[in-house]
Amino acid sequence: MSEQLAVPVALQRGRPLGYWGMLMLIATEAVLFGAIIASYFYIRFRTPHWPPPGVPEPKVLHPLLFTIVLIVSSLPAGIASWAARRQLPGRAAWGLFATIALAAIYAAGTLVVMVHAWHKVGAQHDAYDSLFFTLQGAHVAHVAAGILINLYLLAKISRGRLTQYRINGIWAMSLYWHFVNILAVFVLLTTISPSL
Amino acid sequence: MSTVVGREELQRLESIWAEKPGLRTFLTTVDHKKIGTRYLVTSFAFFVAAGLEALSMRTQLAVPDAGAIGPKAYDELFSMHGTTMIFLFVTPMLNGFGNYMVPLQIGARDMAFPRMNALSYWIYLASGIFLYSSFLLGSAPNDGWFNYTPLAEKAFTPGLNIDFYNLGLLFLTVSSTVGATNFLVTIFKLRAPGMSLNRIPLFCWAMAAQSFSLIFALPALSVANIFLELERRFDFHFFDRAHGGDALLWQHLFWIFGHPDVYIIFLPAVGIVSTVVPVFARRSMIAHDWLALATMATAFIGFGVWVHHMFATGLSNVTYAFYSAASMVIVIPSGVQIFGWLATVLKGRPVIRSPFLYILGFIVTFVIGGVTGVMFAAIPFDQQITDSYFVVAHFHYVLFGGAVFPIFAGIHYWFPKITGRMLDERLATWSFWLFFVGFNLTFFPMHILGLLGEPRRVYTYHPGFGWGLWNLLSTIGAFTLAVGILGTVVNVLWSRSAGAAAGDDPWGANTLEWATSSPPPEYNFPSIPVVHSVDPNWDVEDRRDDARRLEHAELTLSGGHETIGTDWLDADIEEIHEGPSESPWPLLLALTLSWFFVAFLAGHWVIAGIGVGLIAVAVGGWHLKEPGE
Ligand code: HEM
C-alpha cells in the first residue's frame, strides 16, 4: 500500500492550480463580455436606425489592423509560456516583451480611435454610443491590465530566478492573453457590425 | 501506541502551521477555518440586521393605518431587507460553512488559494459595511432588491440610494467570484487520494454547483450594475427610451443572474440537507449518485428559467410557452432529491436530534413552497397574483424554508466540530418549535392576504379592506420566530464555553471532517486520509490506516504549507502543492478596493483614480513573497 501512495515529488503531472483558477476567471469574463455584446444586439434590434441618425458609421480599417496586431501577440505569449515551462528564462523574457509591445500598439491605437469617436459624438448622445464606448473601453482596459501584469512578470524574471511560482504566473497569463485576443475578434465584429 | 516518528511529525506540523495568537495574525491569517468562522459570524450579524428590518415592517403592518413608519422609510426597509438577506446573509453564510467544511470533507489542508480566500472575506465585509453606511447618510437603496429601471434611473431616484446599491453589489461580486473560483479548484484538484468523482460528499457537490452558477450568473448582474451606474453618473444611455435605451434590458440582465441565484442560494442549503440526512437516518444515502447529478442538473436548468420572472411584461406567446415548460422541468431534479432523502429516512433508523428537526422542518416547508411555485408556472395564475402578498409568501417559503432551515440545521450540526462543544439539546428543541411555528404563522397568512388582494411593498392598508386579522397574525408570527432565533443565539453563546465536550465525532457521521479532532488542528489532518467509499468516516479500517501512516510519516507532508494535488476524475495523486502562509496583502487589497468604491460613490474622480493605482500596487505587493520562500 505504501508504495502505491509514495508521492512523485519530482514529477509535476498536473497543471498548476493557478492555471485552473485562470480558466474560471476567463469563464466569468467571457460571460461578462457576452452580456455586454448581447445587450448591444438586444438594443440594436429594437432600434430602427443603427447607428441612429446624425451618428457616423463606425470606421472599419483601423480597428481591423489594430486587432490583427493584437492577435499576432498571442504567438509571443505562447512562446513565453512554452519557454518558461522549459526553464528558458531568456526566451520567456523576450516572449513577454514582444507580447507587451504588440499589445501596447493595439491599446494606443484603439484609444486614438475612441478619442476620435468621442470628439464626434461622445458616449452620452445615444444608447448606440454608450454601448460602443462601454464595450470597447472594457476591452482596452483588459488589455491594459494584461500589459501591466506582463510587465511585472517580465521585471521579476529578468531580475531574479524563474521560480515555479513565476512559471505558473506566465503560464496562466498566456491563457488570459489568448482569451483577450479571441475576445478582441468578437468586440471588433460587434463594433463594426453597422458598417458591414 | 504512538511512535517517536509519529510524535516528531506532529511536532513538525504543529510548528509549520501554528499561527501566533494576536492582532497581527488576526489581520493576516489565511486559515480556511478561521475565515470560515468569520464568514459565519459576519453573515449572521447581517441576518440579524435584516431580521430587525423585517420586524420593523411587520410592526408597521400589524394594524391598519399604523403610523410607525412612513412610505419613504418603508421603501428603504424592504429594499435593504431583501438585498441583505439575499446578498449579505444566505450566500455568505453558506460560503462560511463551505469554507470551513469543504477542505475538511475532502481531506485537504486548506483551500486552493488561501490568500484569495482571505481576500474574499475582507471584500465581503467591506462591501457589507459600504452598503449599510447608506443608512447613515439617510439614503439606503429604496427601489426593491431587484432595483428595476426606469424607477432606479437618476430622473426618478436622484439620491445616492441606487449608487450605493450598484457599487455595493459590484464590490461584493468581486468577493463572490473569487470565492467561487476557489471552491471549484479546491473541490476538483485537492481531494484526498481515492476520493474519485463519485465519492465527493454531496455538500461539496452542492458548493461546486453553486460556484459554477456564480461564475456564469454574476457577470450579468455586474453588467446591469455597471450600465446603470454609467447612466446615472456619466449620462450614458442604456435603459431610457428617450435616448434609444430599453428599460426591459435591466430586467433581462437582472434575471439572467437572479434566477440562477435562487439556486445559488438553494443548492448549498440542499447540500446541508443531504449531509445531515444519512447521518441521522443512520444509513448511507440512497441514490447518492443521482442526488449528485440532480444537484448539477438544477444548476444548469436554473439558467433556462429567468424569463419566468417576467411573465407579466408582455413577451411573445412562444417565449412564454418555452419558459413555462422550463419552469416545470426544474421540478424533476428537485423531486429526485426529495425522494432520495425520504427513501433514506424511511429505510434507515432515524434518530431525531436538533439538526435533524430543522431538516424535517425544511422538507415540510419546501413541499408547500414547491406547490405554490408550480402554481406560478401556470402563466394566467401568475398574472393574477403578481406583486401581491402571495408572492411574498411564496418566496419566503422557498428562500426561508429552502435556505434558512438548512442553515440552522448546519449550525446545530457543525457547531460541535467548530467549537469542540455540544449545543444544549433542550434549548435547541424549544428554539426549533418556536422557529417552526413562528415561521408558518408569519408567512402562511400572507398567501391569504395575497389572494385577498393586498399588494406587496406598500407601507400600510385601509381598515375597511378586512386584512387586519391576517396581518396581525403574521406580525405575531414574526415575533415568535424572532424569539426562536434568539434562543439559538443564546444557545450558541452559552454552549461555546459551557457546553458538554463533543469529542471528535459526536454524531457518528460519515464524512471526513469528523475524522479529525474538534476543533481541528491548523493542519486539519496529521496524515492526509485515503478514501475508498462515499462514507469514508464509516470505514473504520481506513481511518486506522491513516493513523498507522502517521507513525511511518507517510502522507504527512511536513515540508511546509503543503497539501496534496490529485487529478479531478479519479483523485490519483499528482503532486504536492505548497501553499502560502499569513499575508497582509488580502486585507490591504480589500482596503484599496474600498478606497476606490468610496471615492467613486463620492464622485471624486481623481481620488478614485489614485485608488486604481493603489489597487495595482497591492496586487504587486501580493506577489512579492512567494509560497515556500
Ligand atoms: C426573519 C424573518 C423574515 C421576515 C419576518 C420577513 C418579512 C418580510 C416582509 C414583511 C417583507 C416585505 C413585504 C412587502 O411589503 O413587500 C419582506 C420582503 C422580502 N424578504 Fe423577507 N422576511 C424574513 C426573512 C427573509 C429571508 C430569510 C429572506 C431571504 C433569504 C427574505 C427575503 C426577502 C425578499 C427578497 C423580500 C423582497 C424585498 C423587495 O420587495 O424588494 N426574507 N420580508
Short mmCIF file of all heavy atoms in Angstrom, two decimals, chain B residues 244-300:
data_model
loop_
_atom_site.label_atom_id
_atom_site.label_comp_id
_atom_site.label_asym_id
_atom_site.label_seq_id
_atom_site.Cartn_x
_atom_site.Cartn_y
_atom_site.Cartn_z
N GLY B 244 -32.86 55.95 -26.94
CA GLY B 244 -32.62 54.68 -27.62
C GLY B 244 -32.39 53.50 -26.71
O GLY B 244 -32.08 52.41 -27.16
N GLY B 245 -32.52 53.69 -25.39
CA GLY B 245 -32.34 52.57 -24.47
C GLY B 245 -33.63 51.79 -24.29
O GLY B 245 -34.62 52.03 -24.99
N ASP B 246 -33.61 50.83 -23.37
CA ASP B 246 -34.78 50.00 -23.15
C ASP B 246 -34.79 49.52 -21.71
O ASP B 246 -33.88 48.83 -21.27
CB ASP B 246 -34.73 48.80 -24.11
CG ASP B 246 -35.97 47.95 -24.01
OD1 ASP B 246 -36.76 48.17 -23.07
OD2 ASP B 246 -36.15 47.07 -24.86
N ALA B 247 -35.84 49.91 -20.99
CA ALA B 247 -35.89 49.58 -19.56
C ALA B 247 -35.93 48.08 -19.32
O ALA B 247 -35.45 47.59 -18.31
CB ALA B 247 -37.10 50.25 -18.90
N LEU B 248 -36.48 47.32 -20.27
CA LEU B 248 -36.56 45.87 -20.06
C LEU B 248 -35.18 45.21 -20.04
O LEU B 248 -35.02 44.11 -19.52
CB LEU B 248 -37.40 45.22 -21.16
CG LEU B 248 -38.91 45.13 -20.93
CD1 LEU B 248 -39.53 44.24 -21.99
CD2 LEU B 248 -39.25 44.60 -19.55
N LEU B 249 -34.20 45.89 -20.63
CA LEU B 249 -32.85 45.33 -20.63
C LEU B 249 -32.39 45.06 -19.20
O LEU B 249 -31.76 44.03 -18.93
CB LEU B 249 -31.89 46.29 -21.32
CG LEU B 249 -30.42 45.88 -21.34
CD1 LEU B 249 -30.23 44.56 -22.07
CD2 LEU B 249 -29.57 46.96 -22.00
N TRP B 250 -32.72 45.96 -18.30
CA TRP B 250 -32.35 45.72 -16.90
C TRP B 250 -32.97 44.42 -16.40
O TRP B 250 -32.32 43.59 -15.78
CB TRP B 250 -32.78 46.88 -16.00
CG TRP B 250 -32.59 46.55 -14.55
CD1 TRP B 250 -33.45 45.86 -13.74
CD2 TRP B 250 -31.43 46.80 -13.76
NE1 TRP B 250 -32.91 45.69 -12.49
CE2 TRP B 250 -31.66 46.25 -12.47
CE3 TRP B 250 -30.20 47.44 -14.00
CZ2 TRP B 250 -30.73 46.32 -11.43
CZ3 TRP B 250 -29.28 47.51 -12.95
CH2 TRP B 250 -29.55 46.95 -11.70
N GLN B 251 -34.26 44.25 -16.69
CA GLN B 251 -34.94 43.06 -16.19
C GLN B 251 -34.31 41.78 -16.73
O GLN B 251 -34.11 40.83 -15.99
CB GLN B 251 -36.42 43.08 -16.59
CG GLN B 251 -37.19 44.18 -15.89
CD GLN B 251 -38.68 43.90 -15.86
OE1 GLN B 251 -39.09 42.74 -15.86
NE2 GLN B 251 -39.49 44.93 -15.82
N HIS B 252 -33.98 41.80 -18.02
CA HIS B 252 -33.35 40.61 -18.58
C HIS B 252 -32.02 40.33 -17.89
O HIS B 252 -31.77 39.23 -17.41
CB HIS B 252 -33.11 40.77 -20.08
CG HIS B 252 -34.32 40.47 -20.90
ND1 HIS B 252 -34.86 39.21 -20.95
CD2 HIS B 252 -35.08 41.24 -21.69
CE1 HIS B 252 -35.92 39.22 -21.74
NE2 HIS B 252 -36.08 40.46 -22.20
N LEU B 253 -31.17 41.34 -17.84
CA LEU B 253 -29.85 41.13 -17.23
C LEU B 253 -30.01 40.70 -15.78
O LEU B 253 -29.35 39.79 -15.30
CB LEU B 253 -29.02 42.42 -17.30
CG LEU B 253 -28.52 42.79 -18.70
CD1 LEU B 253 -27.91 44.19 -18.69
CD2 LEU B 253 -27.50 41.78 -19.18
N PHE B 254 -30.94 41.37 -15.08
CA PHE B 254 -31.07 41.04 -13.67
C PHE B 254 -31.52 39.61 -13.47
O PHE B 254 -31.00 38.90 -12.63
CB PHE B 254 -32.04 42.00 -12.96
CG PHE B 254 -32.01 41.79 -11.47
CD1 PHE B 254 -31.11 42.49 -10.70
CD2 PHE B 254 -32.83 40.85 -10.86
CE1 PHE B 254 -31.02 42.27 -9.34
CE2 PHE B 254 -32.74 40.63 -9.50
CZ PHE B 254 -31.85 41.34 -8.73
N TRP B 255 -32.47 39.16 -14.27
CA TRP B 255 -32.97 37.80 -14.02
C TRP B 255 -32.11 36.72 -14.63
O TRP B 255 -32.19 35.56 -14.21
CB TRP B 255 -34.44 37.67 -14.44
CG TRP B 255 -35.33 38.42 -13.51
CD1 TRP B 255 -36.13 39.49 -13.80
CD2 TRP B 255 -35.50 38.20 -12.09
NE1 TRP B 255 -36.76 39.94 -12.67
CE2 TRP B 255 -36.40 39.17 -11.61
CE3 TRP B 255 -34.96 37.28 -11.18
CZ2 TRP B 255 -36.79 39.26 -10.27
CZ3 TRP B 255 -35.36 37.36 -9.85
CH2 TRP B 255 -36.26 38.33 -9.42
N ILE B 256 -31.26 37.07 -15.62
CA ILE B 256 -30.28 36.08 -16.07
C ILE B 256 -29.42 35.72 -14.87
O ILE B 256 -29.03 34.57 -14.67
CB ILE B 256 -29.41 36.64 -17.21
CG1 ILE B 256 -30.23 36.73 -18.48
CG2 ILE B 256 -28.19 35.74 -17.44
CD1 ILE B 256 -29.49 37.40 -19.62
N PHE B 257 -29.14 36.72 -14.05
CA PHE B 257 -28.47 36.45 -12.79
C PHE B 257 -29.45 35.92 -11.75
O PHE B 257 -29.17 34.95 -11.05
CB PHE B 257 -27.82 37.72 -12.26
CG PHE B 257 -27.71 37.73 -10.77
CD1 PHE B 257 -26.70 37.02 -10.15
CD2 PHE B 257 -28.63 38.40 -9.99
CE1 PHE B 257 -26.62 36.98 -8.78
CE2 PHE B 257 -28.56 38.35 -8.61
CZ PHE B 257 -27.55 37.64 -8.00
N GLY B 258 -30.58 36.56 -11.64
CA GLY B 258 -31.45 36.36 -10.48
C GLY B 258 -32.03 34.97 -10.39
O GLY B 258 -32.17 34.41 -9.31
N HIS B 259 -32.37 34.41 -11.55
CA HIS B 259 -32.94 33.07 -11.41
C HIS B 259 -31.92 32.03 -10.98
O HIS B 259 -32.14 31.33 -10.00
CB HIS B 259 -33.74 32.60 -12.62
CG HIS B 259 -34.64 31.49 -12.18
ND1 HIS B 259 -35.83 31.73 -11.57
CD2 HIS B 259 -34.42 30.18 -12.11
CE1 HIS B 259 -36.33 30.58 -11.18
NE2 HIS B 259 -35.49 29.61 -11.50
N PRO B 260 -30.78 31.94 -11.65
CA PRO B 260 -29.76 31.04 -11.10
C PRO B 260 -29.46 31.36 -9.64
O PRO B 260 -29.12 30.47 -8.87
CB PRO B 260 -28.54 31.32 -11.98
CG PRO B 260 -29.07 31.85 -13.24
CD PRO B 260 -30.34 32.57 -12.90
N ASP B 261 -29.60 32.63 -9.27
CA ASP B 261 -29.30 32.98 -7.89
C ASP B 261 -30.21 32.26 -6.91
O ASP B 261 -29.81 31.94 -5.79
CB ASP B 261 -29.41 34.49 -7.68
CG ASP B 261 -28.81 34.90 -6.34
OD1 ASP B 261 -27.64 34.58 -6.11
OD2 ASP B 261 -29.52 35.53 -5.54
N VAL B 262 -31.45 32.00 -7.32
CA VAL B 262 -32.32 31.23 -6.45
C VAL B 262 -31.65 29.89 -6.13
O VAL B 262 -31.66 29.42 -4.99
CB VAL B 262 -33.69 31.01 -7.11
CG1 VAL B 262 -34.55 30.08 -6.27
CG2 VAL B 262 -34.41 32.33 -7.31
N TYR B 263 -31.01 29.31 -7.16
CA TYR B 263 -30.34 28.03 -6.92
C TYR B 263 -28.99 28.21 -6.25
O TYR B 263 -28.53 27.33 -5.52
CB TYR B 263 -30.23 27.26 -8.24
CG TYR B 263 -31.61 27.03 -8.79
CD1 TYR B 263 -32.12 27.81 -9.80
CD2 TYR B 263 -32.46 26.10 -8.17
CE1 TYR B 263 -33.42 27.66 -10.22
CE2 TYR B 263 -33.76 25.95 -8.59
CZ TYR B 263 -34.24 26.74 -9.62
OH TYR B 263 -35.53 26.60 -10.01
N ILE B 264 -28.39 29.37 -6.49
CA ILE B 264 -27.13 29.67 -5.79
C ILE B 264 -27.40 29.68 -4.28
O ILE B 264 -26.59 29.23 -3.48
CB ILE B 264 -26.58 31.03 -6.27
CG1 ILE B 264 -26.00 30.88 -7.67
CG2 ILE B 264 -25.54 31.57 -5.30
CD1 ILE B 264 -25.72 32.17 -8.38
N ILE B 265 -28.57 30.19 -3.93
CA ILE B 265 -28.96 30.22 -2.54
C ILE B 265 -29.33 28.82 -2.06
O ILE B 265 -28.97 28.38 -0.97
CB ILE B 265 -30.16 31.17 -2.36
CG1 ILE B 265 -29.71 32.60 -2.51
CG2 ILE B 265 -30.86 30.93 -1.04
CD1 ILE B 265 -30.86 33.57 -2.56
N PHE B 266 -30.04 28.14 -2.94
CA PHE B 266 -30.74 26.96 -2.53
C PHE B 266 -29.83 25.72 -2.54
O PHE B 266 -29.90 24.87 -1.66
CB PHE B 266 -31.91 26.82 -3.51
CG PHE B 266 -32.73 25.62 -3.35
CD1 PHE B 266 -33.40 25.40 -2.16
CD2 PHE B 266 -32.86 24.71 -4.39
CE1 PHE B 266 -34.18 24.29 -2.01
CE2 PHE B 266 -33.65 23.60 -4.23
CZ PHE B 266 -34.29 23.38 -3.05
N LEU B 267 -28.92 25.64 -3.53
CA LEU B 267 -28.13 24.42 -3.69
C LEU B 267 -27.27 24.06 -2.47
O LEU B 267 -27.32 22.91 -2.01
CB LEU B 267 -27.26 24.53 -4.94
CG LEU B 267 -27.99 24.29 -6.26
CD1 LEU B 267 -27.14 24.71 -7.43
CD2 LEU B 267 -28.36 22.82 -6.39
N PRO B 268 -26.47 24.99 -1.96
CA PRO B 268 -25.66 24.60 -0.82
C PRO B 268 -26.53 24.24 0.38
O PRO B 268 -26.17 23.36 1.18
CB PRO B 268 -24.84 25.85 -0.51
CG PRO B 268 -24.98 26.72 -1.68
CD PRO B 268 -26.25 26.38 -2.35
N ALA B 269 -27.69 24.91 0.48
CA ALA B 269 -28.58 24.58 1.58
C ALA B 269 -29.03 23.14 1.44
O ALA B 269 -29.04 22.36 2.40
CB ALA B 269 -29.78 25.53 1.57
N VAL B 270 -29.38 22.76 0.22
CA VAL B 270 -29.76 21.38 -0.04
C VAL B 270 -28.60 20.45 0.25
O VAL B 270 -28.78 19.32 0.74
CB VAL B 270 -30.23 21.26 -1.50
CG1 VAL B 270 -30.29 19.83 -1.92
CG2 VAL B 270 -31.57 21.92 -1.65
N GLY B 271 -27.39 20.94 -0.03
CA GLY B 271 -26.21 20.15 0.29
C GLY B 271 -26.13 19.85 1.78
O GLY B 271 -25.73 18.75 2.18
N ILE B 272 -26.53 20.80 2.60
CA ILE B 272 -26.54 20.55 4.05
C ILE B 272 -27.55 19.46 4.36
O ILE B 272 -27.29 18.55 5.15
CB ILE B 272 -26.86 21.84 4.82
CG1 ILE B 272 -25.76 22.88 4.60
CG2 ILE B 272 -27.03 21.54 6.31
CD1 ILE B 272 -25.96 24.17 5.33
N VAL B 273 -28.71 19.54 3.71
CA VAL B 273 -29.74 18.53 3.95
C VAL B 273 -29.17 17.14 3.61
O VAL B 273 -29.29 16.20 4.41
CB VAL B 273 -31.00 18.80 3.10
CG1 VAL B 273 -32.04 17.73 3.33
CG2 VAL B 273 -31.56 20.17 3.43
N SER B 274 -28.54 17.04 2.46
CA SER B 274 -28.00 15.74 2.05
C SER B 274 -26.86 15.28 2.96
O SER B 274 -26.53 14.10 2.98
CB SER B 274 -27.50 15.80 0.61
OG SER B 274 -28.56 16.13 -0.24
N THR B 275 -26.23 16.21 3.65
CA THR B 275 -25.19 15.83 4.59
C THR B 275 -25.79 15.28 5.87
O THR B 275 -25.31 14.29 6.43
CB THR B 275 -24.34 17.07 4.95
OG1 THR B 275 -23.92 17.69 3.75
CG2 THR B 275 -23.13 16.68 5.77
N VAL B 276 -26.83 15.94 6.32
CA VAL B 276 -27.38 15.60 7.63
C VAL B 276 -28.27 14.35 7.56
O VAL B 276 -28.26 13.52 8.47
CB VAL B 276 -28.17 16.81 8.20
CG1 VAL B 276 -28.88 16.44 9.47
CG2 VAL B 276 -27.21 17.97 8.43
N VAL B 277 -29.01 14.21 6.45
CA VAL B 277 -29.98 13.11 6.37
C VAL B 277 -29.35 11.73 6.62
O VAL B 277 -29.80 10.99 7.50
CB VAL B 277 -30.77 13.15 5.04
CG1 VAL B 277 -31.41 11.81 4.73
CG2 VAL B 277 -31.83 14.23 5.12
N PRO B 278 -28.29 11.34 5.89
CA PRO B 278 -27.77 9.98 6.13
C PRO B 278 -27.23 9.79 7.55
O PRO B 278 -27.32 8.69 8.09
CB PRO B 278 -26.65 9.82 5.09
CG PRO B 278 -26.38 11.17 4.57
CD PRO B 278 -27.58 12.01 4.80
N VAL B 279 -26.69 10.87 8.12
CA VAL B 279 -26.11 10.73 9.46
C VAL B 279 -27.19 10.39 10.47
O VAL B 279 -27.02 9.50 11.32
CB VAL B 279 -25.38 12.03 9.87
CG1 VAL B 279 -24.91 11.94 11.31
CG2 VAL B 279 -24.22 12.29 8.93
N PHE B 280 -28.34 11.08 10.36
CA PHE B 280 -29.38 10.84 11.37
C PHE B 280 -30.34 9.73 10.95
O PHE B 280 -31.08 9.22 11.79
CB PHE B 280 -30.11 12.14 11.70
CG PHE B 280 -29.22 13.09 12.44
CD1 PHE B 280 -28.41 13.98 11.76
CD2 PHE B 280 -29.12 13.03 13.82
CE1 PHE B 280 -27.54 14.82 12.43
CE2 PHE B 280 -28.25 13.87 14.50
CZ PHE B 280 -27.46 14.77 13.81
N ALA B 281 -30.33 9.37 9.67
CA ALA B 281 -31.09 8.19 9.27
C ALA B 281 -30.27 6.93 9.54
O ALA B 281 -30.76 5.82 9.41
CB ALA B 281 -31.47 8.27 7.80
N ARG B 282 -29.03 7.12 9.90
CA ARG B 282 -28.09 6.04 10.19
C ARG B 282 -27.97 5.05 9.04
O ARG B 282 -27.99 3.84 9.24
CB ARG B 282 -28.48 5.27 11.48
CG ARG B 282 -28.76 6.10 12.70
CD ARG B 282 -27.62 6.97 13.15
NE ARG B 282 -26.32 6.29 13.26
CZ ARG B 282 -25.16 6.89 12.98
NH1 ARG B 282 -25.12 8.13 12.55
NH2 ARG B 282 -24.04 6.24 13.12
N ARG B 283 -27.88 5.54 7.84
CA ARG B 283 -27.56 4.66 6.73
C ARG B 283 -27.02 5.52 5.58
O ARG B 283 -27.22 6.71 5.52
CB ARG B 283 -28.76 3.86 6.25
CG ARG B 283 -29.92 4.69 5.72
CD ARG B 283 -30.73 3.89 4.72
NE ARG B 283 -29.92 3.59 3.57
CZ ARG B 283 -29.95 2.44 2.92
NH1 ARG B 283 -30.75 1.47 3.32
NH2 ARG B 283 -29.19 2.24 1.85
N SER B 284 -26.33 4.84 4.66
CA SER B 284 -25.76 5.54 3.52
C SER B 284 -26.88 6.15 2.69
O SER B 284 -27.98 5.61 2.63
CB SER B 284 -24.98 4.52 2.71
OG SER B 284 -24.13 5.16 1.81
N MET B 285 -26.59 7.30 2.06
CA MET B 285 -27.62 7.95 1.26
C MET B 285 -28.05 7.08 0.09
O MET B 285 -27.21 6.57 -0.67
CB MET B 285 -27.05 9.28 0.73
CG MET B 285 -28.00 10.05 -0.14
SD MET B 285 -29.45 10.63 0.75
CE MET B 285 -28.86 12.21 1.33
N ILE B 286 -29.36 6.87 -0.03
CA ILE B 286 -29.86 6.11 -1.17
C ILE B 286 -29.74 6.98 -2.42
O ILE B 286 -29.99 8.17 -2.39
CB ILE B 286 -31.33 5.70 -0.92
CG1 ILE B 286 -31.35 4.62 0.15
CG2 ILE B 286 -32.00 5.23 -2.21
CD1 ILE B 286 -32.72 4.17 0.55
N ALA B 287 -29.33 6.35 -3.52
CA ALA B 287 -29.20 7.05 -4.81
C ALA B 287 -28.26 8.23 -4.72
O ALA B 287 -28.53 9.30 -5.27
CB ALA B 287 -30.58 7.49 -5.32
N HIS B 288 -27.14 8.06 -4.03
CA HIS B 288 -26.16 9.13 -3.86
C HIS B 288 -25.78 9.75 -5.21
O HIS B 288 -25.78 10.97 -5.37
CB HIS B 288 -24.92 8.56 -3.16
CG HIS B 288 -23.80 9.53 -3.01
ND1 HIS B 288 -22.94 9.83 -4.02
CD2 HIS B 288 -23.40 10.27 -1.95
CE1 HIS B 288 -22.05 10.70 -3.60
NE2 HIS B 288 -22.31 10.99 -2.35
N ASP B 289 -25.48 8.91 -6.20
CA ASP B 289 -25.04 9.44 -7.49
C ASP B 289 -26.13 10.26 -8.16
O ASP B 289 -25.87 11.28 -8.78
CB ASP B 289 -24.64 8.30 -8.43
CG ASP B 289 -23.45 7.55 -7.89
OD1 ASP B 289 -22.95 7.94 -6.81
OD2 ASP B 289 -23.02 6.57 -8.53
N TRP B 290 -27.39 9.81 -8.01
CA TRP B 290 -28.49 10.55 -8.62
C TRP B 290 -28.66 11.91 -7.97
O TRP B 290 -28.98 12.89 -8.62
CB TRP B 290 -29.80 9.75 -8.51
CG TRP B 290 -29.83 8.64 -9.50
CD1 TRP B 290 -29.52 7.34 -9.25
CD2 TRP B 290 -30.13 8.74 -10.88
NE1 TRP B 290 -29.62 6.61 -10.40
CE2 TRP B 290 -30.00 7.44 -11.43
CE3 TRP B 290 -30.51 9.79 -11.72
CZ2 TRP B 290 -30.22 7.18 -12.77
CZ3 TRP B 290 -30.74 9.52 -13.05
CH2 TRP B 290 -30.60 8.23 -13.57
N LEU B 291 -28.43 11.95 -6.66
CA LEU B 291 -28.54 13.23 -5.99
C LEU B 291 -27.45 14.18 -6.46
O LEU B 291 -27.69 15.37 -6.67
CB LEU B 291 -28.48 13.06 -4.47
CG LEU B 291 -29.88 13.02 -3.84
CD1 LEU B 291 -30.56 11.71 -4.09
CD2 LEU B 291 -29.81 13.35 -2.37
N ALA B 292 -26.25 13.64 -6.65
CA ALA B 292 -25.16 14.48 -7.15
C ALA B 292 -25.52 15.02 -8.53
O ALA B 292 -25.37 16.21 -8.83
CB ALA B 292 -23.86 13.69 -7.20
N LEU B 293 -26.04 14.13 -9.38
CA LEU B 293 -26.45 14.56 -10.71
C LEU B 293 -27.55 15.60 -10.66
O LEU B 293 -27.52 16.61 -11.38
CB LEU B 293 -26.96 13.35 -11.51
CG LEU B 293 -25.91 12.58 -12.29
CD1 LEU B 293 -26.55 11.38 -12.97
CD2 LEU B 293 -25.27 13.49 -13.32
N ALA B 294 -28.53 15.36 -9.79
CA ALA B 294 -29.65 16.29 -9.68
C ALA B 294 -29.14 17.66 -9.26
O ALA B 294 -29.62 18.70 -9.74
CB ALA B 294 -30.67 15.77 -8.67
N THR B 295 -28.13 17.68 -8.38
CA THR B 295 -27.57 18.95 -7.95
C THR B 295 -27.03 19.73 -9.14
O THR B 295 -27.33 20.91 -9.34
CB THR B 295 -26.42 18.69 -6.96
OG1 THR B 295 -26.92 17.86 -5.92
CG2 THR B 295 -25.90 19.97 -6.38
N MET B 296 -26.23 19.03 -9.96
CA MET B 296 -25.66 19.72 -11.10
C MET B 296 -26.76 20.10 -12.09
O MET B 296 -26.75 21.20 -12.65
CB MET B 296 -24.61 18.83 -11.79
CG MET B 296 -23.37 18.58 -10.95
SD MET B 296 -22.66 20.07 -10.21
CE MET B 296 -21.40 20.50 -11.38
N ALA B 297 -27.72 19.19 -12.31
CA ALA B 297 -28.79 19.47 -13.27
C ALA B 297 -29.57 20.71 -12.85
O ALA B 297 -29.90 21.56 -13.68
CB ALA B 297 -29.72 18.27 -13.38
N THR B 298 -29.85 20.84 -11.56
CA THR B 298 -30.58 22.01 -11.09
C THR B 298 -29.84 23.28 -11.46
O THR B 298 -30.43 24.25 -11.93
CB THR B 298 -30.74 21.96 -9.56
OG1 THR B 298 -31.20 20.66 -9.20
CG2 THR B 298 -31.71 23.00 -9.08
N ALA B 299 -28.51 23.25 -11.26
CA ALA B 299 -27.73 24.44 -11.57
C ALA B 299 -27.85 24.79 -13.05
O ALA B 299 -28.01 25.95 -13.41
CB ALA B 299 -26.27 24.21 -11.20
N PHE B 300 -27.82 23.77 -13.92
CA PHE B 300 -27.88 24.07 -15.35
C PHE B 300 -29.25 24.55 -15.77
O PHE B 300 -29.38 25.53 -16.48
CB PHE B 300 -27.46 22.85 -16.17
CG PHE B 300 -25.98 22.61 -16.08
CD1 PHE B 300 -25.47 21.44 -15.56
CD2 PHE B 300 -25.09 23.58 -16.50
CE1 PHE B 300 -24.11 21.23 -15.45
CE2 PHE B 300 -23.72 23.39 -16.40
CZ PHE B 300 -23.23 22.21 -15.88
#
